[in-house]
Amino acid sequence: MWQEQDNQLTRNFQFADFSEAFAFMTRVALIAEKMDHHPWWSNVYNQVTIKLSTHDAGNTITEKDRTLAGAIDALVD
């Protein structure tokens, strides 16, 4: 689940392998581009970490972040 840490929504994801992790990131990228709201993320093999905050709002959590988090959750839940 998403956690609020340092004015960011943060969540770690784990997949079966690198291909699944990368496919997930591709799907997230398409959603983020549509929303014009781009996450900070990192990927190592089958693990993806995503952090969301709204830069235009002073790097705090906004409804835009919660909406993107919900869309990301819909991809994996």
Side-chain angles (χ1 to χ4, degrees), residues 2-45:
W2 293 94
Q3 297 180 6
E4 291 191 27
Q5 299 175 334
D6 301 321
N7 291 320
Q8 298 175 320
L9 287 179
T10 303
R11 184 169 175 188
N12 297 308
F13 300 87
Q14 187 166 339
F15 300 92
D17 54 30
F18 178 75
S19 293
E20 281 190 21
F22 196 84
F24 166 74
M25 291 177 72
T26 300
R27 291 191 302 274
V28 171
L30 294 172
I31 293 167
E33 187 66 16
K34 253 184 162 172
M35 291 181 65
D36 192 29
H37 190 53
H38 306 95
W40 176 96
W41 58 16
S42 67
N43 165 244
V44 177
Y45 183 57

Side-chain angles (χ1 to χ4, degrees), residues 2-11 37-40 50-66:
W2 293 94
Q3 297 180 6
E4 291 191 27
Q5 299 175 334
D6 301 321
N7 291 320
Q8 298 175 320
L9 287 179
T10 303
R11 184 169 175 188
H37 190 53
H38 306 95
W40 176 96
I50 298 178
K51 297 180 181 183
L52 304 173
S53 66
T54 302
H55 307 293
D56 297 345
N59 294 315
T60 62
I61 299 168
T62 66
E63 191 58 35
K64 202 170 188 179
D65 302 301
R66 295 187 191 288

